[in-house]
């Protein structure tokens, strides 16, 4: 690095429980995430992405879309409707079995997930050093999960242990009942059962029902994939943790249709590719990613793994990779009466393809990126907050800063900003000391600060400051665009 100035960057170790609090506050202050309809006290588990948040989210989705559809000639994308014929959800099993066990407190009128109430209780016993009790309750909890009437068994466990709601201390419980997680609405003017439609709880079914449409229109041959990014809705009771679990969220799903018998091989290949995407394309720390193999499988799967991320509040799922067998296409064949078979043109074989699914949550990934990137350190003794986001996902790619507004530097900086803005999201800032302006950019993860100074006017050069190292180098103004482009591939 030429003309570089060595800075001393010293990191500060932050306790994980402090990080979430700081992230939530930064997200609001700098326009990443706001509570939905905040001026009306918000709406539980609903959030709005602000100017920087929507840019960051769009970058995540663009990277995913490119990695799926551009890098694979046999994967195409669709954008299916959120509302679908209600028979779709009967076929998929969501009407009959997309349920959570819920319990109501008659005194406080609050509703909880019965399993969460018990898990929180076990956690508390452990925190209080009552490991034997925790083990005993855990054993009964596992047995309740496998019981014939598990709702009754969960209820009996809650009553026998005297478990209370941790937020209110109350425990005036109803029986445990199953609640379907799908949001219902009525289509048309009449509110009768014939007009019930659901907001989709996953994007995957929009792909399955379009299997033949996409295959025929795009002349796809098995193995091929269909990718989709879109909103999904689940009426979940949420434990907190900011945007980790929402009722309205966005999924990035891909269904890969393969010949029966070849699913294990496809599954392994996707497992590897998806894991590497997090580190290579998004720059997430390798050591914070974990595999989790499902022993208890969903009704449609014969193999399932999750990619989990070490959030400040625990290790949690960000993506599921599922071998879904031929369950979905078979179900749609049965419920729609339409043949879902594929005919291999070369061998004349007929079969219903098996499916390997990769299903990532965009909002969870957004939170994982923020949590991974959030750092506090000091540069030459001066403390700062830095989002160490990969330049590829960072919302603002560079800030153009005139050392001073006067003396022609302001005009030159604005000219450079306009030139760069055709290709990148650029911020111009001339308010306050240069140090303060660097800090503002560090805090939102801008990877490069480009300073226009006296020398710039004489020599047509600028300084580029690197966010993470705070090192600087001087480059020609005419090279800035190509410099940024090279950093973003
Ligand atoms: N089609 C398969 C499917 O929907 P899932 O494991 O239920 O599988 C996939 O969801 C991903 O969607 C999860 O790994 C998670 O990232 C995201 N997701 C699921 N429920 C969510 C919620 N309530 N809020 C935010 N993201 C959610």
């Amino acid at each position: 690095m030429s003309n570089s100035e060595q800075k001393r960057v010293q990191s500060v170790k932050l306790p994980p429980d402090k990080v979430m609090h700081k992230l939530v506050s930064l997200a609001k202050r700098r326009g990443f995430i706001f509570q939905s309809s905040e001026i009306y006290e918000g709406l539980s588990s609903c959030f709005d992405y602000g100017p920087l948040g929507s840019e960051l989210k769009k970058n995540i989705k663009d990277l995913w879309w490119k990695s799926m559809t551009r890098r694979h000639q046999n994967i195409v994308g669709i954008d299916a409707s959120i509302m679908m014929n209600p028979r779709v959800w009967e076929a998929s099993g969501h009407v009959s079995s997309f349920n959570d066990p819920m319990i109501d407190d008659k005194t406080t009128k609050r509703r909880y997930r019965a399993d969460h109430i018990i898990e929180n209780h076990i956690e508390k016993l452990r925190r209080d050093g009552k490991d034997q009790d925790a083990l005993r309750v855990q054993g009964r909890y596992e047995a309740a999960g496998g019981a014939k009437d598990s709702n009754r068994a969960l209820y009996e466990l809650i009553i026998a242990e005297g478990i209370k709601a941790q937020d209110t201390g109350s425990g005036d419980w109803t029986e445990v009942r199953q609640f379907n997680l799908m949001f219902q609405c009525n289509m048309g003017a009449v509110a009768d059962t014939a007009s019930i439609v659901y907001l989709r709880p996953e994007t995957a079914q929009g792909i399955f029902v379009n299997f033949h449409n996409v295959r025929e229109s795009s002349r796809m041959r098995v193995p091929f994939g269909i990718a989709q990014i879109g909103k999904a809705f689940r009426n979940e009771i949420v434990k907190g943790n900011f945007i980790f679990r929402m009722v309205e969220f966005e999924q990035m799903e891909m269904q890969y249709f393969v010949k029966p018998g070849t699913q294990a091989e496809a599954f392994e290949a996707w497992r590897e590719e998806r894991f590497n995407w997090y580190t290579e394309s998004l720059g997430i720390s390798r050591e914070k990613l974990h595999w989790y193999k499902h022993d208890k499988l969903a009704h449609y799967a014969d193999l399932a793994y999750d990619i989990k991320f070490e959030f400040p509040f625990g290790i949690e799922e960000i993506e599921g990779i599922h071998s879904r067998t031929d369950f979905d296409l078979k179900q749609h064949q049965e419920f729609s009466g339409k043949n879902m078979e594929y005919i291999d043109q070369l061998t004349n074989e007929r079969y219903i393809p098996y499916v390997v699914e990769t299903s990532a949550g965009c909002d969870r990934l957004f939170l994982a990126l923020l949590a991974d990137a959030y750092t506090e350190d000091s540069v030459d003794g001066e403390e700062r907050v830095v989002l160490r986001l990969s330049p590829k996902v960072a919302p603002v790619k560079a800030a153009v800063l005139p050392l001073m507004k006067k003396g022609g530097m302001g005009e030159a900086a604005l000219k450079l900003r306009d030139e760069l803005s055709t290709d990148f999201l650029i911020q111009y800032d001339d308010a306050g000391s240069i140090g303060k302006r660097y800090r503002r950019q560090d805090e939102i993860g801008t990877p490069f600060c480009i300073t226009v100074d006296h020398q710039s006017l004489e020599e047509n050069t600028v300084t580029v400051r690197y966010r993470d190292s705070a090192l600087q180098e001087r480059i020609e103004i005419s090279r800035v665009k190509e410099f940024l482009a090279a950093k973003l591939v």
Side-chain angles (χ1 to χ4, degrees), residues 68-172:
M68 286 297 176
T69 65
R70 303 282 186 280
R71 286 196 47 218
H72 294 278
Q73 296 307 317
N74 65 345
I75 300 182
V76 287
I78 63 162
D79 183 5
S81 168
I82 285 174
M83 291 195 244
M84 303 172 77
N85 188 303
R87 296 271 291 156
V88 168
W89 307 110
E90 287 171 33
S92 67
H94 284 85
V95 170
S96 58
S97 51
F98 196 49
N99 301 318
D100 274 342
M102 303 300 231
I103 191 164
D104 290 311
D105 185 308
K106 289 177 274 184
T107 304
T108 62
K109 307 272 180 271
R110 289 188 180 216
R111 177 166 293 171
Y112 303 88
R113 283 216 6 210
D115 50 345
H116 287 174
I117 292 272
I118 299 170
E119 284 164 17
N120 289 344
H121 179 69
I122 296 170
E123 256 173 52
K124 185 167 183 311
L125 289 174
R126 290 218 174 90
R127 274 201 310 276
D128 294 347
K130 297 177 180 165
D131 288 348
Q132 285 305 322
D133 288 336
L135 269 177
R136 183 178 47 75
V137 180
Q138 179 77 39
R140 281 194 70 181
Y141 176 46
E142 279 163 21
K148 206 157 174 217
D149 183 354
S150 71
N151 285 344
R152 184 74 207 162
L154 289 174
Y155 172 75
E156 281 169 4
L157 176 56
I158 289 170
I159 300 299
E161 294 294 330
I163 299 175
K164 307 261 188 273
Q166 285 188 8
D167 55 344
T168 63
S170 172
D172 187 12

Side-chain angles (χ1 to χ4, degrees), residues 45 220 411:
S45 322
M220 306 304 282
E411 284 88 349

Side-chain angles (χ1 to χ4, degrees), residues 335-364:
F335 279 71
S336 70
K338 304 284 182 324
N339 189 341
M340 284 295 178
E341 277 179 331
Y342 172 78
I343 305 172
D344 189 317
Q345 305 274 317
L346 299 174
T347 62
N348 267 336
E349 274 176 287
R350 284 170 172 267
Y351 54 83
I352 293 189
Y354 269 46
V355 170
V356 173
E357 164 184 79
T358 69
S359 176
C362 186
D363 313 86
R364 274 193 199 173

Side-chain angles (χ1 to χ4, degrees), residues 98 201-204 234 236 238 243-253 255 300 306-307 317-320 322 324 357 359-365:
F98 196 49
E202 62 172 10
T203 57
R234 296 182 189 178
E236 310 213 44
V238 178
I243 59 168
F244 177 77
R245 196 178 296 282
M246 301 152 93
V247 293
E248 174 182 341
F249 56 100
E250 222 161 344
Q251 289 188 313
M252 306 188 290
E253 295 200 297
Q255 322 296 133
Y300 52 74
D306 291 340
I307 298 175
E317 170 187 346
I318 49 174
E319 170 158 354
H322 313 124
R324 289 183 78 123
E357 164 184 79
S359 176
C362 186
D363 313 86
R364 274 193 199 173
L365 180 46

